[in-house]
Amino acid sequence: MPPVTTTLAVIIFVAGIAAGGMGALLGLGGGIFLVPFLNLGFNFPITAAAAISLTTVIATSSSVSAARAGKQLINLRLGMLLEVATAGGSLLGGVTAQLVAQSTLQRLFGATAMAVAIVMLTRLQRRNVILDASTDPGVLGGRFHDQESGGVVTYRVKRLPVAIAASFVAGNVSSLLGIGGGIIKVPVLNAWCGVPLRAAAATSAFMIGVTASAGAVIYYGRGQIVPVLAAAAVLGVQLGSWGGMQFAQRASSKWLKILMAALLMVVSGLMFVRAAH
Amino acid sequence: MTRLERSIARVLQAGVWASSACLAAGLLLSVLHVAVASGLLQAGILILICTPVARVVISLVEYTAARDRAFATLTAVVLLELMGSALAALVFNRKL
């Protein structure tokens, strides 16, 4: 763990801006970039890196969801139901993170980063699934006005057990590694459970605050959140994701996704190399 | 916007602003070596962590008021899990 200096706080603030900006452009949280930056670049123990990252995840989730509430994209009922699974997974992950070796966490991060990269590359062309507006959404489904097509999208939730299982895994990985976990939930909700992409992303972002909170409190109790550095990271990520969202509407994300997938593969490799030492 | 959505938006917005203000002030003052800085930073982090918890509490209250048994139960379970995390935090901190 490097000594806490003003310079380090400034570096983390700038890294937060970059991570938050890339996160907003790609529809991810910034954690998947921030954790390896701190762990590989500055020798932070992975638990301390995850602790700082989780605070930024909470901040992003809260501010994004506050802005989106009432626009029907967030499926509150589905979110609250799946939160039972993510919060449980997160509690378990937070405790596990304190008990396993650093190298195990690095290997897990390496595997997750590789999976994220592959998911990113295989879903380059994904757009919203437009469904029949006359469908009955049922108890858990939803209905929202889609800006892209100009129509009303109505959907039913299918294969609920799959969504619950994915949420549990996402919660678990979230507090083990300090990432939001949306990268696990969103593709599953979209591909198997009938939730349109934008609704899946908004609902996942909404749930992530509770997920990260369940994990962050354990790191906080263990004294692993360095206040000055967490503050710098949170403010940086907030600024970066605000900036990223200004561009997200018009930016072509295809090449950005390919670039980031390549970067994540490098991160994955480095994590495995570091774990072996 | 439903009543629940309005309350949720309000709680999240307030939490974000309050914690960001504390963190920004704390960061600035700690660079200047002012004594209150660490208190402000701690407050900022605690407010941040508690914001989603407050959102679950508000949802529980609203679902209970609307007599929505199923969702009141679900949010109560989430709240219990969050308390479980807090308990784990206390155990790791050797307070228990």
Side-chain angles (χ1 to χ4, degrees), chain B:
Chain B
M1 203 188 295
T2 64
R3 211 182 114 109
L4 176 61
E5 286 172 325
R6 206 173 302 132
S7 328
I8 286 175
R10 232 176 254 155
V11 169
L12 294 178
Q13 196 68 268
V16 168
W17 279 109
S19 69
S20 299
C22 288
L23 292 176
L27 204 55
L28 205 66
L29 294 178
S30 68
V31 172
L32 304 170
H33 301 287
V34 180
V36 289
S38 76
L40 276 170
L41 289 172
Q42 292 291 344
I45 288 167
L46 281 174
I47 293 171
L48 189 70
I49 294 178
C50 290
T51 299
V53 185
R55 191 266 281 166
V56 175
V57 173
I58 290 289
S59 312
L60 175 57
V61 171
E62 296 279 354
Y63 282 130
T64 309
R67 291 171 198 275
D68 188 334
R69 262 251 189 83
F71 278 85
T73 311
L74 286 174
T75 40
V77 172
V78 173
L79 203 57
L80 280 175
E81 288 171 323
L82 287 166
M83 285 197 239
S85 273
L87 195 69
L90 289 172
V91 170
F92 279 121
N93 200 9
R94 290 164 212 279
K95 291 268 166 61
L96 283 178

Side-chain angles (χ1 to χ4, degrees), chain A residues 93-112:
Chain A
V95 172
T96 312
Q98 304 298 333
L99 307 174
V100 299
Q102 152 115 336
S103 57
T104 309
L105 291 173
Q106 283 174 322
R107 279 194 197 97
L108 185 61
F109 199 102
T112 306

Side-chain angles (χ1 to χ4, degrees), chain A residues 24 31 33 36 57 105 148 189 193 212 224:
Chain A
F33 302 108
V57 169
L105 291 173
E148 229 172 277
L189 286 175
C193 305
Q224 283 157 331

Side-chain angles (χ1 to χ4, degrees), chain A residues 214-231:
Chain A
V217 77
I218 295 175
Y219 288 101
Y220 182 84
R222 200 76 202 272
Q224 283 157 331
I225 299 180
V226 183
V228 174
L229 303 182

